């Protein structure tokens, strides 16, 4: 099983260990700060989790968590033995949060990030949530704040030798989504048509 320190036990199945190594070896944008974190224990027999933030100086523009699940026996809902589960969140301007098309656009950013890297998200599902906060009393000097949150899961279909999905490529696509939600310009050539969210108010609350 996965330990709280981000280490994988030697007794874990070889495909799972190979998938975790692919995550650790992924090359990501320099704005991404990423670390292993405690994985959920009840979603699958084996799990590995990463948390990441898009950082500009001292400011966190967006953050999220990506969890790799593995069930050697397979899972009917997954239609496979591996599953990726994610949370992405960022603060944005209230007028942007009021856009009625924002949920559909954010979901298309997830699917588009995977497609741009030639990846397939099998059995994909998820939610896009908008939340607004207004402050009163002793906090009344704070301006209203709005946040977008994307929760999703999918089955990585691309398999390398030994039946292991290309988790490194899926992590890179997820980081593309994280950067896009943070409002960063596209990193690669030919992505000028991608529209990102405008600047954020400041660091995200825990």
């Amino acid at each position: 099983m996965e330990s709280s320190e981000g280490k994988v036990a030697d007794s874990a199945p070889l495909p799972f260990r190979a998938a975790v190594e692919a995550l650790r070896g992924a090359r990501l944008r320099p704005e991404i700060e990423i670390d292993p974190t405690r994985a959920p224990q009840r979603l699958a027999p084996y799990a590995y989790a990463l948390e990441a933030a898009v950082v500009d100086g001292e400011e966190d523009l967006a953050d999220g968590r990506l969890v790799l699940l593995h069930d050697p026996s397979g899972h009917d809902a997954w239609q496979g033995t591996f599953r990726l589960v994610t949370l992405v969140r960022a603060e944005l301007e209230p007028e942007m949060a009021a856009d009625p098309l924002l949920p559909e656009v954010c979901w298309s950013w997830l699917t588009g990030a995977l497609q741009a890297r030639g990846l397939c998200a099998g059995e994909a599902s998820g939610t896009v949530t908008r939340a607004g906060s207004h402050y009163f009393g002793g906090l009344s000097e704070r301006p209203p704040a709005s946040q977008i949150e994307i929760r999703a899961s999918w089955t990585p279909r691309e398999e390398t030798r030994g039946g292991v999905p290309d988790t490194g490529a899926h992590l890179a696509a997820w980081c593309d989504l994280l950067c896009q939600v943070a409002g960063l310009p596209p990193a690669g050539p030919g992505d000028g048509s991608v529209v990102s969210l405008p600047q954020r108010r400041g660091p995200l609350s825990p």
Side-chain angles (χ1 to χ4, degrees):
M1 289 294 293
E2 169 67 17
S3 75
S4 60
E5 292 80 17
K7 298 178 182 178
V8 178
D10 293 338
S11 59
L14 183 59
F16 176 69
R17 285 185 282 160
V20 170
E21 285 304 311
L23 289 176
R24 292 172 173 168
R27 299 181 62 184
L28 308 175
R29 291 180 59 163
E31 299 92 344
I32 295 285
E33 292 187 357
I34 192 164
D35 291 292
T37 187
R38 184 174 180 83
Q41 300 297 307
R42 298 183 179 181
L43 298 181
Y46 303 93
Y48 183 81
L50 294 167
E51 58 184 8
V54 181
V55 178
D56 180 15
E58 298 296 322
E59 183 179 2
D60 285 2
L61 302 179
D63 67 7
R65 176 176 293 193
L66 185 70
V67 181
L68 173 68
L69 304 177
H70 179 54
D71 187 339
S73 300
H75 196 292
D76 290 341
W78 303 354
Q79 294 295 302
T81 59
F82 284 91
R83 189 75 171 173
L84 287 166
V85 181
T86 183
L87 163 68
V88 170
R89 60 181 183 173
E91 292 192 10
L92 62 156
E93 297 299 324
E95 59 270 18
M96 191 69 181
D99 187 339
L101 296 179
L102 183 64
E104 289 80 3
V105 170
C106 288
W107 183 257
S108 72
W109 286 348
L110 170 60
T111 58
L114 293 166
Q115 292 169 3
R117 292 183 177 268
L119 302 172
C120 176
E123 308 301 321
S125 62
T127 62
V128 177
T129 304
R130 293 178 287 191
S133 299
H134 296 264
Y135 300 95
F136 301 93
L139 301 176
S140 60
E141 294 184 357
R142 293 188 182 184
S146 298
Q147 187 179 81
I148 192 75
E149 182 180 273
I150 304 170
R151 293 178 180 268
S153 64
W154 67 92
T155 299
R157 293 296 187 205
E158 302 72 23
E159 293 187 352
T160 60
R161 184 176 301 176
V164 181
D166 190 353
T167 52
H170 280 265
L171 173 59
W174 178 73
C175 287
D176 291 342
L177 168 68
L178 199 62
C179 289
Q180 191 167 5
V181 171
L184 297 187
D191 294 333
S193 62
V194 175
V195 178
S196 300
L197 287 176
Q199 68 277 5
R200 301 290 166 264
R201 289 187 172 277
L204 294 174
S205 301

